[in-house]
Amino acid sequence: MAALAMAPDAQAAISCQRQVTANVVAFDKPLMYNRLGAGNVNGMMYALQRDVINTSSQSPLTVSGQATAGQLDLRPDKRHRPLVLRVRVGDCLTVNLQNLLTPVANPNNVPLTEPSGQRFTVQVDDQVRGRFVGFHAAGMELVDSIADDGSHTGANVSSLVAPGGSRSYRLYASKEGVFPVSSGGAVVGADANQGNSSNGLFGQLIVEPAGARIYRGQVFEEEMRLAADVNNDGVLGATELTAEGHPRIRYEATYPGGTPWTAEGKNGLPILNMMKCASATACEIVHSEINAVVAGPNADGTFPRAPTRWNRSASATPRCRTGWSPSATSPRSGTTSPPLRRPSRASTRTTRCSATCWRA
């Protein structure tokens, strides 16, 4: 009961520095695990909506592609990797999840014909029969209610999504860390309690430090060239290269208009920045990458130095333990305290910048 009584206070303590949105879909996706041919034809995955295409039209769902279950795939230029969303401390993340799994589990079969002409059908049936999905980021704070949890546990109302449906989850990034994402739609499966995680339906939500700027860490040569091509002529001139011949990267560069960028839904999107921000407090995650370049808010990419015991300003008043008093001079001798140094254990005083704690 005490925990329930504290819930409103905890919710009121959440103050969103930015409102960040991620439009995510869950869909069936054959997965290859290695170059030797090991795979799972009935794989599943989360992906950003703009990274998914209709296999018939080859158009992204954010352009003109139809969101038809069983007819979806990743864009040809998108590496097949688990979903990784990055935000920073203080962000409130809204995940708009759409369930595009086929109504029936294990929709793909593998026909195999031996050289002798004998035909086999290998049944891969590791997918759980239930087709509900959720977006559960373990360890993240829920903004509104238990409905943001992406689960169906105990007597709580289900916050899962039925096939063809969609819903939103709001999460608060209170601290740095890596938070695993899974679907609460299935808690048991082929690998004990892994549910559909063993089929690929998992990801990560990474919370970077406050003020962080987050960029893609692995791109194609074409995208690297675009990020340095100021005049968009397709060739990097002398002013677009360093003296050593390296591209002068514009980290806030955007994709140009025209072919093929408009048809791919990239026109005007950031090339390297993982977020497109309409304002300083409203952003959308437009890139999901396992690798990232994380820079601080300072002009040189560093983070502000946090105050510590040894770098506080000289005017800071030290906190002295019981029986000790702060002063720049000894109350006994009147001598000025020594320069900044870390005191030894044998010392009878504790120095912090220009102030000293003296034993009473």
Side-chain angles (χ1 to χ4, degrees):
M1 293 300 293
L4 292 176
M6 293 175 62
D9 293 335
Q11 184 174 343
I14 293 178
S15 177
C16 305
Q17 296 180 10
R18 296 192 306 178
Q19 297 288 348
V20 179
T21 301
N23 298 313
V24 177
V25 300
F27 65 108
D28 299 285
K29 173 76 177 76
L31 300 173
M32 295 301 299
Y33 296 140
N34 56 40
R35 294 181 176 88
L36 301 178
N40 182 354
V41 71
N42 282 315
M44 315 162 77
M45 72 184 311
Y46 294 111
L48 291 179
Q49 184 185 40
R50 62 178 63 255
D51 288 336
V52 179
I53 63 171
N54 181 284
T55 54
S56 298
S57 65
Q58 293 294 300
S59 294
L61 302 188
T62 53
V63 181
S64 59
Q66 295 295 316
T68 305
Q71 299 181 24
L72 304 173
D73 203 345
L74 290 177
R75 295 194 330 258
D77 62 343
K78 178 64 179 176
R79 302 183 73 199
H80 296 194
R81 297 292 186 270
L83 177 75
V84 177
L85 302 179
R86 282 182 167 84
V87 295
R88 65 192 192 191
V89 172
D91 286 347
C92 281
L93 172 65
T94 299
V95 177
N96 299 316
L97 177 65
Q98 186 177 14
N99 183 351
L100 294 179
L101 297 178
T102 58
V104 179
N106 304 298
N108 300 315
N109 293 322
V110 182
L112 176 64
T113 302
E114 294 287 344
S116 62
Q118 187 174 6
R119 186 177 177 85
F120 294 89
T121 299
V122 180
Q123 296 291 335
V124 181
D125 59 356
D126 284 348
Q127 287 189 3
V128 178
R129 177 174 293 184
R131 306 302 276 169
F132 282 73
V133 299
F135 188 94
H136 176 75
M140 293 291 291
E141 292 188 25
L142 310 181
V143 174
D144 295 322
S145 68
I146 194 65
D148 290 325
D149 194 49
S151 63
H152 188 188
T153 305
N156 294 315
V157 176
S158 174
S159 54
L160 302 177
V161 185
S166 61
R167 72 172 301 149
S168 298
Y169 305 98
R170 296 189 68 210
L171 307 169
Y172 177 62
S174 62
K175 59 184 178 181
E176 298 176 35
V178 179
F179 304 90
V181 172
S182 60
S183 171
V187 294
V188 294
D191 291 330
N193 62 350
Q194 289 299 303
N196 279 322
S197 294
S198 60
N199 295 312
L201 197 61
F202 64 90
Q204 284 185 344
L205 176 53
I206 301 179
V207 180
E208 306 289 0
R213 293 176 289 168
I214 307 167
Y215 302 96
R216 300 169 69 190
Q218 193 168 12
V219 297
F220 291 102
E221 180 277 335
E222 179 183 45
E223 293 171 313
M224 183 68 75
R225 177 164 35 86
L226 284 172
D229 192 3
V230 178
N231 55 12
N232 292 325
D233 63 354
V235 179
L236 298 184
T239 59
E240 298 164 336
L241 299 171
T242 66
E244 295 79 17
H246 301 297
R248 294 183 180 274
I249 304 302
R250 299 174 299 150
Y251 282 89
E252 305 303 331
T254 59
Y255 287 98
T259 305
W261 318 115
T262 301
E264 293 179 354
K266 298 178 181 178
N267 180 21
L269 290 183
I271 299 174
L272 300 178
N273 198 324
M274 289 194 181
M275 293 191 186
K276 181 179 181 180
C277 296
S279 68
T281 58
C283 302
E284 179 191 353
I285 298 177
V286 295
H287 293 295
S288 165
E289 306 285 352
I290 289 181
N291 303 319
V293 175
V294 180
N298 294 339
D300 61 353
T302 61
F303 287 88
R305 188 180 181 186
T308 66
R309 174 175 178 173
W310 304 110
N311 67 9
R312 292 180 185 272
S313 64
S315 61
T317 301
R319 295 187 298 272
C320 299
R321 61 189 180 187
T322 304
W324 296 55
S325 61
S327 176
T329 58
S330 168
R332 298 176 182 175
S333 63
T335 57
T336 303
S337 63
L340 170 63
R341 65 181 178 86
R342 289 177 183 251
S344 65
R345 289 191 176 184
S347 175
T348 59
R349 60 192 176 192
T350 302
T351 303
R352 179 199 276 178
C353 296
S354 64
T356 307
C357 288
W358 296 89
R359 189 187 299 275

